[in-house]
Amino acid sequence: MSESTQHSTPSNLQVLFEDNHIIVINKRVGDIVQGDKTGDSPLSDVVKQYLKEKYNKPGNVYLGVVHRLDRPTSGIVLFAKTSKALPRLNKLFSEGKTKKIYWAVMDNAPPNESGTLTHWLVRNPKQNKSYAHDKEVPNSKKAVLEYKLLKKLDRYFLLEIDLKTGRHHQIRAQLAALGCHIKGDLKYGADRSNKDGGIHLHARYLELEHPVQKEIIPFMAPPPDDPVWNACL
């Protein structure tokens, strides 16, 4: 199994940053951030084990889950290491005081090279899917993103997405509404899956105020090592 399709373990964890209060991980495709009905070991448990081994900690390790990434996506996930940091980070995310940039490899280019998309998303829990509407409808949540075309590849297009709201499957649903599908994303209209079961959507950049020291800190995550992502760099 190649490095890009391995799940994260305490020994291969891609740590982008760590201090006393936070730890920032580059999540692999297939890692699940928090436990769910599959019963698979979540990334939060892997990070706890990593910290336990690194610092020889007896007993339980504290780790707070601040935000999530969809299982088939890769990129930046931030965890709180202290109970002091967690509520402050939760507040930053819930109030939209973070800058989140994603990269997406698409089968089609959008009609314009850059723009703002505004939709109202309705989540269908049974299908685990969100549907984008042009106008507000019952039970919908407003979803906004900005995009720009960064690069044309042989068969694909690299978009950079500045996420303004954090809705369920937002990027996937909004781009699909334009007739643009993320490579490998069968659920939202791609014509074929990726070998690793993932999709070419990557949380590339995160910027926020440190929960304790209060300075603005930026993080950037390299995309997975595969031929398509490598062509984007």
Side-chain angles (χ1 to χ4, degrees):
M1 205 180 247
S2 73
E3 181 68 15
S4 61
T5 55
Q6 282 182 345
H7 290 302
S8 293
T9 65
S11 58
N12 72 11
L13 198 62
Q14 300 179 63
V15 180
L16 298 170
F17 177 87
E18 184 193 349
D19 67 9
N20 291 336
H21 295 282
I22 60 176
I23 183 166
V24 182
I25 306 299
N26 189 8
K27 172 181 127 44
R28 288 177 167 87
V29 164
D31 287 341
I32 187 163
V33 174
Q34 206 172 15
D36 72 352
K37 61 180 183 288
T38 62
D40 293 346
S41 183
L43 189 59
S44 53
D45 282 0
V46 174
V47 177
K48 280 184 185 179
Q49 190 60 35
Y50 165 84
L51 294 170
K52 192 177 176 70
E53 291 171 12
K54 182 176 178 181
Y55 299 107
N56 294 316
K57 288 196 169 196
N60 292 331
V61 172
Y62 180 89
L63 193 77
V65 177
V66 180
H67 65 125
R68 293 164 192 78
L69 284 184
D70 299 341
R71 186 169 194 160
T73 64
S74 56
I76 296 172
V77 181
L78 176 146
F79 295 97
K81 286 175 63 181
T82 61
S83 54
K84 183 179 185 180
L86 182 61
R88 296 178 184 183
L89 290 167
N90 284 339
K91 192 163 185 275
L92 288 177
F93 275 83
S94 67
E95 292 176 355
K97 292 180 178 172
T98 61
K99 186 171 181 66
K100 293 183 277 189
I101 302 288
Y102 287 73
W103 277 7
V105 176
M106 314 301 298
D107 59 0
N108 294 312
N112 302 306
E113 291 210 347
S114 63
T116 302
L117 300 183
T118 303
H119 291 98
W120 278 262
L121 296 190
V122 177
R123 181 175 182 174
N124 182 323
K126 278 189 181 161
Q127 294 178 308
N128 188 31
K129 190 172 176 181
S130 287
Y131 291 87
H133 298 264
D134 291 333
K135 296 190 172 70
E136 192 169 1
V137 296
N139 303 314
S140 63
K141 291 183 174 176
K142 190 176 184 180
V144 183
L145 63 79
E146 293 175 359
Y147 71 86
K148 64 181 172 189
L149 181 64
L150 282 192
K151 200 168 189 179
K152 293 178 182 176
L153 308 174
D154 287 344
R155 291 170 48 207
Y156 300 104
F157 303 87
L158 174 64
L159 293 188
E160 182 172 272
I161 292 135
D162 186 345
L163 201 56
K164 301 300 186 186
T165 51
R167 306 300 183 203
H168 176 258
H169 290 184
Q170 178 181 337
I171 295 172
R172 300 163 69 181
Q174 284 196 273
L175 290 172
L178 285 190
C180 303
H181 313 104
I182 296 169
K183 184 179 181 306
D185 197 0
L186 294 180
K187 179 169 276 195
Y188 286 92
D191 59 0
R192 66 183 67 169
S193 60
N194 289 342
K195 279 183 188 162
D196 61 6
I199 63 176
H200 275 70
L201 178 62
H202 179 69
R204 171 71 169 160
Y205 181 85
L206 174 67
E207 185 180 288
L208 48 75
E209 182 184 88
H210 191 283
V212 178
Q213 283 138 18
K214 300 299 183 192
E215 81 272 23
I216 301 294
I217 41 175
F219 308 106
M220 189 180 286
D225 179 12
D226 76 34
V228 174
W229 278 125
N230 292 344
C232 295
L233 296 171

